[in-house]
Amino acid sequence: MKFFIKCTAPVVGLLGLGLAGCQPDIDAPKVSAGSADFSSYIAIGNSLTAGYSDGGLYREGQLNSYPNILSQQFAQVGGGSFVQPLFTEAQSNGSGYLKLTGFTATGSPVTANVTTSLALRGGTAAAPLYTKFTDPINNLGVPGIRMSDILTPGYGSVAGNPYFERITLDTTPLQTYLQRVQATVASLKPTFFTEWLGNNDVLGYATAGGAASSLTPVATFTTNTGLVLDALVAGGAKGVVSTIPDVTGIPFFTTVGPSFKATLVANSVPGVVALTGAAAGNAASGNRKSIATADIRDASGGRQLFTLTSSAFLGLLGRPTGAPWRYLLAQANQPRAALGPYLTSFGIDTTQAFGATVGNPIPSAFVLDDVEQGLVASATASFNSALTTAATSRNLAIFDANAFFRNVAANGYVANAANNTAGYLSGNLFGLDGVHPTPRGYAVVANEILKVINAKYGSSFQGVNANLYRGVVFP
Amino acid sequence: MGGTLLASVSAASASGFQVNLGGQKNIGMGGVGVGLSLDQAAMFYNPGALAMVRDNGVQVGVNAALARSSFRGDNTGIQQSLDNKLVVPFNFYAGFGPKDAKYKFGVAVYTPYGSTLKYADGWEGRYALTEITLQSVYVQPTASYAITPTLSVGAGLMILAYGSVNLQKDLPLPTGPGHITLDGKTKTQFGYNAGIFFKPSDKLSVGISYRSKIDATVDNGSVTYSGLPATGSASAALINRSFTATSFTATLPLPAVASIGIGVMPNEQLTIGLDASLTFWSAYRTLDFGFSGNNGNGTTDGLVGGNNFSTSKRFYQDALAFRLGGQYKVDDKLTVRLGTAYDFSAVKDGYVGPETPDADRVQATAGLSYLVTEHFGVDASFLFEAFRQRTQTQGQLLDNGTTDRVAGTYRTDIFIPGVGLHYKF
């Protein structure tokens, strides 16, 4: 009634000329903490927690990490400062990353490595050392770390993980990740945490097409999960534990296969030959695998997945070439001289038709085949079961990232009338490496975690407008 | 210029984008009129009552609709205010008949549907809508005949003489936001408006009326873009080939309305009207656009975002409205009016979109007439309408497959001062 009088009186008098200030107000939603305390928040995890994107860790990605977005929401209910090991403005490109520079005539993306304003302080191209950040930090996300790494002494040494090395104090050079978490809990006394470890315990094996790395034993994963969560709840903190997404739904595996399949079908090629697994041996050793064209996964079906890294070489199908092998050797930081013995050990003859013969098969590293997928799926399920059990027994909230990203892969994700998908480049959610989210993807993750927090702790956080966070920006 | 003069109100004073501003006297009385024979505006409210209107006359009314809308997003929670647009719905009537004849003829011009909304720059729903203008002007030749001294009937030929639509939204391009504008004029279409009026005594009258549906069809509207990557830039070929359309077709139903009204005249001074009306909004099921033409951006014709059509769910529901109003003749020169109305929303939960942020609405109205001479008078009206605050969650949008709009809370108030002139003879 007050409103009516306030706003209509001038209307009657001035026929509306005095109305400019009379916008109806919608009460602001109340943001409350519920039963949790967000005054001191720490984030534990890997590249996803660090804000890694486009194949690198750089300042923009760090600023848009999901923990940083969460901390901005927590600040509305008394959340304190949230320190991340940010690269400086002058070294804002951090480790370097992939940048989209254009497209080929056929619409394929052209990327380049960003090599300016890096945060390098030494080391080699294969084992770089980054500018140290030794202030106390709330975001302990370390790109590359596996659950199986958290007890490894020296993981933060110059011979270890450069991202952990970067934040490891000179006074405790051999400190393990778990010890760092324990020390942080003791000093920052967190009241709330997020934990998202374990992705690399399957991802490394999967992105290597089963040709390198390994899947962490379930027993190790389960033990370490218990250790890290015990460390986190030691001071009575509440928190969210995230599960591990199905890695076969990410663009790294879903982008190349469908177009390759279409090319094979168009040229009436019935199938290709690939290596499988990591074991050396010639064609008679049983490590060759015939893949029928129809068995390559696309929207219509099929099982076999091709990696994003294979896209540059699949065009060489049927031609004599050693290029894929030279590329993989360089990726593994092996000298050129190692090529001959390597090829011999696998019985590979680069004068034969690539991908069409057992003599020159598609490298195992380019294919995550059905058998390898089965191992990845089984490990993922076991790890998620361990995470869920450990979180439930400690009465923690669970963000089921596996279910969430499975749904995104199947149905996309619409926010404020803008479509997002799990597709490469134009899907907005995944960056140029095909594995890590874009700022948009991280914003969506943050929104989902906020929903989980609201449900578990009776808090009432709003999300952020995901559309204000970029996807892959085209030049 | 034509925009402002011909524009209809911002979805004012009825459900959906219907506009119930048929006559200045009626507006002051909560919009009643079906069961009354006040003046020439009977041609709009109930053509059957025209033969019972005592005088011949010409009248015109103009309203200044000032909508004040706010939006608060489901996420972010920042309140956005819509731009304050002024639109000017109008009505014009001329009715004639020989003195003491049983019949009367007339012509009516009015604006039964329309909407004008412009959202704040960069608002959360920018990829659903940034701006909309819908206009319609009906011209209606009308005839009415008194079968007996207590019973009359009437009908009018409704001509959608002018209609236009202008829809704009931003495009979420990977190079940054672009913008698309759809703009078109409707084809001339026809419908009818018919009514029966029964006045058994000096103290009571009853009326029913029906206005038919008219489909407003745009056949060759224009599609224009801005903010697409510049020709020659790295992404131009890849993106622009999905935006080749130059024209569109679309059909928007302007739904039928059935009304019943009662008039009670306890004495010479007092007239009370009560109306109930049902607008058949369920005719509005989907908003479909078909695209065609080629602006040279690519080899495939008629694409907007890679598709040559778009469809968006509406599934409106028939909407009831109840109106109550009265007028009191203070003396030979001055008459004063009051009224109220309640409109139920045409839009179901989960379907509210920024183009029609509809909700149940309550109205309060007031008005007066002053006779300057025996023949010439001035009518003034004021209408205040409050939409009930309405919230729609992302969950509701997902459940209904309506994620092409934005989750959040809308609230709208509308102020409509109006003035009219009438001349009787």
Side-chain angles (χ1 to χ4, degrees), chain B residues 3 26 107 119 165 177 241-242 257 274 277 339 371 413:
Chain B
N26 307 75
V107 64
Y119 286 85
V165 59
R241 68 182 181 203
S242 296
V257 186
L274 175 66
S277 71
L371 282 176
D413 291 330

Side-chain angles (χ1 to χ4, degrees), chain A residues 175-196:
Chain A
Q175 191 178 48
T176 66
Y177 187 75
L178 181 64
Q179 288 165 341
R180 178 63 184 267
V181 172
Q182 288 164 334
T184 303
V185 169
S187 60
L188 293 183
K189 300 190 170 37
T191 55
F192 198 83
F193 68 87
T194 55
E195 187 276 354
W196 198 359

Side-chain angles (χ1 to χ4, degrees), chain B residues 22-351:
Chain B
Q24 296 314 122
K25 294 191 183 78
N26 307 75
I27 295 167
M29 297 166 66
V32 299
V34 179
L36 302 174
S37 55
L38 289 178
D39 63 5
Q40 311 302 330
M43 283 182 256
F44 172 76
Y45 292 96
N46 182 355
L50 180 63
M52 299 284 192
V53 175
R54 246 173 268 139
D55 311 292
N56 293 334
V58 177
Q59 65 187 69
V60 62
V62 180
N63 297 284
L66 303 121
R68 296 288 177 268
S69 298
S70 297
F71 174 83
R72 208 183 264 279
D74 193 16
N75 276 336
T76 74
I78 298 159
Q79 180 165 317
Q80 307 270 11
S81 293
L82 276 71
D83 279 17
N84 296 331
K85 286 277 188 181
L86 171 68
V87 287
V88 188
F90 66 92
N91 55 77
F92 167 84
Y93 302 93
F96 310 95
K99 197 134 184 83
D100 299 326
K102 288 182 170 179
Y103 54 86
K104 216 157 214 168
F105 298 104
V107 64
V109 183
Y110 53 91
T111 54
Y113 293 94
S115 182
T116 297
L117 293 166
K118 185 176 191 302
Y119 286 85
D121 285 344
W123 81 294
E124 290 93 327
R126 63 192 297 183
Y127 302 123
L129 186 78
T130 55
E131 195 171 345
I132 180 172
T133 309
L134 282 179
Q135 301 171 353
S136 68
V137 177
Y138 282 15
V139 174
Q140 180 190 309
T142 310
S144 180
Y145 179 73
I147 301 166
T148 73
T150 58
L151 181 69
S152 61
V153 296
L157 173 70
M158 293 193 306
I159 305 164
L160 172 58
Y162 175 88
S164 72
V165 59
N166 181 292
L167 264 174
Q168 302 183 37
K169 65 177 181 178
D170 286 344
L171 300 167
L173 303 176
T175 45
H179 191 78
I180 183 170
T181 302
L182 305 181
D183 188 86
K185 300 267 187 289
T186 60
K187 292 194 296 187
T188 302
Q189 304 273 24
F190 300 93
Y192 63 91
N193 182 3
I196 302 171
F197 187 72
F198 179 57
K199 191 171 183 181
S201 82
D202 283 349
K203 298 198 185 307
L204 181 70
S205 56
V206 181
I208 59 170
S209 74
Y210 181 82
R211 287 202 298 281
S212 72
K213 180 180 87 158
I214 289 183
D215 280 329
T217 300
V218 177
D219 249 353
N220 193 23
S222 72
V223 180
T224 50
Y225 312 94
S226 61
L228 295 181
T231 309
S233 69
S235 308
L238 198 66
I239 292 173
N240 294 357
R241 68 182 181 203
S242 296
F243 296 95
T244 57
T246 57
S247 60
F248 74 94
T249 61
T251 296
L252 188 69
L254 306 176
V257 186
S259 305
I260 182 163
I262 299 171
V264 181
M265 288 70 67
N267 56 48
E268 282 283 301
Q269 284 77 39
L270 186 63
T271 300
I272 296 167
L274 175 66
D275 280 14
S277 71
L278 181 63
T279 305
F280 296 95
W281 279 112
S282 56
Y284 192 16
R285 298 185 59 76
T286 59
L287 179 59
D288 300 331
F289 290 96
F291 303 112
S292 58
N294 196 325
N295 55 15
N297 278 348
T299 50
T300 309
D301 288 357
L303 296 182
V304 171
N307 294 307
N308 60 11
F309 69 95
S310 77
T311 182
S312 178
K313 293 179 187 176
R314 293 296 179 271
F315 295 112
Y316 279 20
Q317 59 193 355
D318 295 343
L320 266 175
F322 296 99
R323 313 182 192 286
L324 173 68
Q327 68 172 13
Y328 184 78
K329 206 170 169 186
V330 178
D331 57 34
D332 283 350
K333 290 195 176 294
L334 182 67
T335 303
V336 295
R337 303 186 178 89
L338 279 177
T340 184
Y342 194 89
D343 282 86
F344 291 92
S345 176
V347 185
K348 291 188 275 194
D349 284 343
Y351 290 84

Side-chain angles (χ1 to χ4, degrees), chain A residues 120-335:
Chain A
L120 286 173
R121 74 169 207 272
T124 62
L129 293 174
Y130 300 122
T131 307
K132 284 268 202 180
F133 191 104
T134 51
D135 292 343
I137 49 175
N138 297 68
N139 188 340
L140 292 171
V142 173
I145 194 170
R146 300 160 61 121
M147 189 68 93
S148 59
D149 292 328
I150 67 166
L151 301 177
T152 308
Y155 190 68
S157 71
V158 292
N161 179 320
Y163 296 104
F164 191 44
E165 194 274 341
R166 178 173 176 252
I167 58 171
T168 292
L169 307 186
D170 295 333
T171 50
T172 54
L174 296 181
Q175 191 178 48
T176 66
Y177 187 75
L178 181 64
Q179 288 165 341
R180 178 63 184 267
V181 172
Q182 288 164 334
T184 303
V185 169
S187 60
L188 293 183
K189 300 190 170 37
T191 55
F192 198 83
F193 68 87
T194 55
E195 187 276 354
W196 198 359
L197 280 168
N199 308 69
N200 293 316
D201 297 79
V202 291
L203 187 70
Y205 174 83
T207 54
S213 189
S214 62
L215 296 165
T216 298
V218 175
T220 306
F221 191 95
T222 306
T223 304
N224 290 5
T225 299
L227 291 173
V228 75
L229 292 186
D230 281 342
L232 288 165
V233 300
K238 294 172 174 171
V240 181
V241 174
S242 301
T243 63
I244 304 166
D246 171 14
V247 296
T248 62
I250 61 179
F252 186 82
F253 291 112
T254 58
T255 304
V256 172
S259 61
F260 183 49
K261 184 177 189 173
T263 306
L264 295 179
V265 169
N267 291 290
S268 303
V269 180
V272 296
V273 181
L275 264 175
T276 182
N282 62 20
S285 72
N287 64 2
R288 266 52 167 186
K289 185 181 180 79
S290 287
I291 294 175
T293 298
D295 199 24
I296 297 171
R297 191 200 287 182
D298 68 358
S300 69
R303 297 174 299 169
Q304 316 303 335
L305 294 169
F306 285 76
T307 66
L308 201 56
T309 43
S310 72
S311 68
F313 303 101
L314 294 178
L316 299 171
L317 190 80
R319 285 193 252 163
T321 178
W325 307 105
R326 291 195 297 275
Y327 164 80
L328 288 171
L329 211 66
Q331 290 296 299
N333 297 309
Q334 297 289 315

Side-chain angles (χ1 to χ4, degrees), chain A residues 11 23-26 462-463 474-475, chain B residues 69-70 72 74-75 174 235 411:
Chain A
V11 175
Q23 216 71 30
D25 272 326
I26 300 167
Q462 290 208 305
F474 286 12
Chain B
S69 298
S70 297
R72 208 183 264 279
D74 193 16
N75 276 336
S235 308
R411 190 175 157 190

